[in-house]
Amino acid sequence: MSKTMRMYRLIDSVMMYSKTEGNKDLPYETVKNAVIGYCDKHPKLSFKTHVGDDHAARQIASNLSGIKIW
């Protein structure tokens, strides 16, 4: 999976978790910037797999919505 595709999948997951579990509609640009920041902070992540993306998406959604999302 390419780096760009993985970022789009993370953005989609964060938007879904924040809307369904956090009950907040977050702006797309805010989520996009948070995901790009996450990927920049963790440059050694393998973009050939999506293992751990669900956990990362939940953490980002928790931070942006202010509600703990498990």
Side-chain angles (χ1 to χ4, degrees):
M1 175 182 324
S2 72
K3 181 178 180 180
T4 306
M5 181 64 178
R6 185 173 184 201
M7 281 194 221
Y8 280 120
R9 288 182 62 163
L10 273 171
I11 291 169
D12 185 49
S13 296
V14 171
M15 299 281 290
M16 187 241 344
Y17 284 129
S18 65
K19 185 172 185 168
T20 58
E21 295 184 32
N23 295 324
K24 289 191 177 183
D25 286 325
L26 299 173
Y28 180 80
E29 286 298 318
T30 303
V31 173
K32 183 177 93 171
N33 291 335
V35 169
I36 290 171
Y38 172 80
C39 291
D40 287 343
K41 287 180 184 176
H42 305 285
K44 295 189 179 201
L45 290 176
S46 171
F47 286 100
K48 297 180 189 227
T49 180
H50 55 83
V51 173
D53 284 354
D54 188 57
H55 177 70
R58 288 175 187 263
Q59 291 300 315
I60 295 169
S62 292
N63 292 339
L64 293 177
S65 66
I67 297 170
K68 186 65 177 170
I69 298 173
W70 297 99

